[in-house]
Amino acid sequence: MRLIRISTLRKCGVVAASTALAVTGLLAGAGTATAGPAGATDIRGVDPGDTDRMIERLCGQETSLTGVYGALNVDTGEFKTRDEYLRDVFGLWKPAGPWELFRGWCGYAEASTWSIKGETVRTSRWIGNKGSADDKETFVSSYSTKTFAKKSVGGSISLSLAKSIFSGTVGGSAGYEWGWEKESKFETRSEKTIPPCRQVAVTWTPYQRVVRVNPVFHVEDYQWDKGNGERTVHSWRDRGYQTIYSHGYYIDGISDKLLPSGQPDGREDKVEEKLDPDSCIR
């Protein structure tokens, strides 16, 4: 598994939105952390609150020269960005009560990749035969490859961030089959038979590749103050986890697959529909 660390040189442009998936927070210690992509430790179900949403909001911030910042209330599971913490909790960037503070960097670790069939689309116009015998027509069919990305939590993903994650980096493992931003088109001509009182068209079902990444957070500093002075460590909650993620938050890049020739990979089909009998010659 590879970790794509974009935040040092690029600004992460995730569009934060209010349509988060509702996940019930579990009390800290209720589960066991496990290792995942890029060696990151999964904290979902281990730490309090909605950790999917926490990582989404943490890594959705503008990245400063010193990283991204977050605050976690370890009693309630509430998460706040640095600006929210300074505004709502304490006017200084210092831990207070149950609020623990952290700073670090976000990256994108490839988790898995698999193939799917895309949505079937019509690639030619309908041609009808209102006669009483078979007819033959030449069909012109055209198609252009599709590429898009989606998140499991929050709103839509920005095009700039999607390009940073998937263009020629994560997709390397998929070889020639990965078509991210490698637009390919085709136009074909074929003669097809149209039965009486039918209309015919050509469809294309693309074969697609999905590459899933988990956003991960690498801890630089983690701080708390339980009333006996501030303490700063360099792992998540002083557990030795330097990189964390929450497995319910992922980003999928989906692109049409390409053949070694560079042509789109998929299946062409002929489809028929009945015409109104009253419009046809009997």
Side-chain angles (χ1 to χ4, degrees):
M1 297 298 179
R2 293 185 298 282
L3 172 63
I4 299 89
R5 181 168 165 175
I6 299 167
S7 52
T8 304
L9 300 176
R10 295 177 178 161
K11 297 178 180 179
C12 292
V14 177
V15 178
S18 60
T19 55
L21 299 178
V23 180
T24 303
L26 301 177
L27 295 177
T32 302
T34 57
T41 301
D42 183 12
I43 61 169
R44 194 173 194 249
V46 177
D47 282 312
D50 183 347
T51 54
D52 293 346
R53 181 64 168 153
M54 181 186 77
I55 297 295
E56 192 266 344
R57 295 193 63 226
L58 175 66
C59 294
Q61 298 177 88
E62 190 92 354
T63 306
S64 71
L65 292 176
T66 52
V68 293
Y69 294 76
L72 175 66
N73 186 313
V74 295
D75 287 347
T76 66
E78 184 179 7
F79 168 81
K80 289 185 180 293
T81 64
R82 180 174 181 169
D83 288 346
E84 291 169 344
Y85 182 82
L86 295 174
R87 181 192 67 203
D88 302 335
V89 181
F90 195 33
L92 298 174
W93 188 245
K94 290 180 175 291
W99 288 96
E100 299 182 355
L101 311 182
F102 40 94
R103 175 184 71 89
W105 303 94
C106 289
Y108 300 89
E110 182 181 341
S112 57
T113 179
W114 64 95
S115 296
I116 60 172
K117 284 184 180 180
E119 182 179 352
T120 299
V121 295
R122 182 165 56 86
T123 55
S124 78
R125 67 185 180 92
W126 287 102
I127 301 179
N129 175 13
K130 295 184 178 181
S132 58
D134 287 350
D135 189 14
K136 289 189 176 181
E137 293 285 348
T138 298
F139 286 77
V140 179
S141 177
S142 60
Y143 180 78
S144 179
T145 54
K146 307 293 188 298
T147 297
F148 59 99
K150 60 183 180 180
K151 297 162 57 182
S152 65
V153 172
S156 60
I157 181 172
S158 73
L159 180 60
S160 62
L161 178 57
K163 286 181 177 180
S164 297
I165 296 172
F166 294 109
S167 293
T169 307
V170 175
S173 66
Y176 70 83
E177 296 178 327
W178 180 247
W180 185 270
E181 287 218 305
K182 298 176 183 176
E183 186 181 34
S184 181
K185 301 178 181 180
F186 69 74
E187 182 175 289
T188 61
R189 294 173 179 269
S190 57
E191 187 177 71
K192 298 189 184 302
T193 299
I194 309 174
C197 209
R198 296 285 195 276
Q199 64 176 357
V200 167
V202 176
T203 64
W204 178 259
T205 303
Y207 299 152
Q208 297 178 327
R209 171 72 68 184
V210 182
V211 175
R212 174 166 294 178
V213 300
N214 283 116
V216 300
F217 176 68
H218 180 80
V219 180
E220 293 287 351
D221 302 308
Y222 193 101
Q223 299 174 287
W224 68 85
D225 187 345
K226 302 304 181 185
N228 55 354
E230 289 185 28
R231 185 177 176 193
T232 300
V233 295
H234 304 287
S235 65
W236 182 255
R237 304 195 69 188
D238 201 25
R239 296 177 185 157
Y241 313 151
Q242 286 198 305
T243 305
I244 62 166
Y245 80 112
S246 185
H247 78 262
Y249 173 41
Y250 52 82
I251 299 171
D252 286 346
I254 302 103
S255 179
D256 289 2
K257 294 167 66 174
L258 302 178
L259 296 169
S261 64
Q263 293 297 304
D265 191 8
R267 189 188 74 234
E268 181 180 277
D269 289 295
K270 168 186 169 182
V271 291
E272 293 183 11
E273 287 186 358
K274 291 182 179 180
L275 294 176
D276 180 359
D278 292 337
S279 68
C280 300
I281 298 175
R282 299 182 182 181

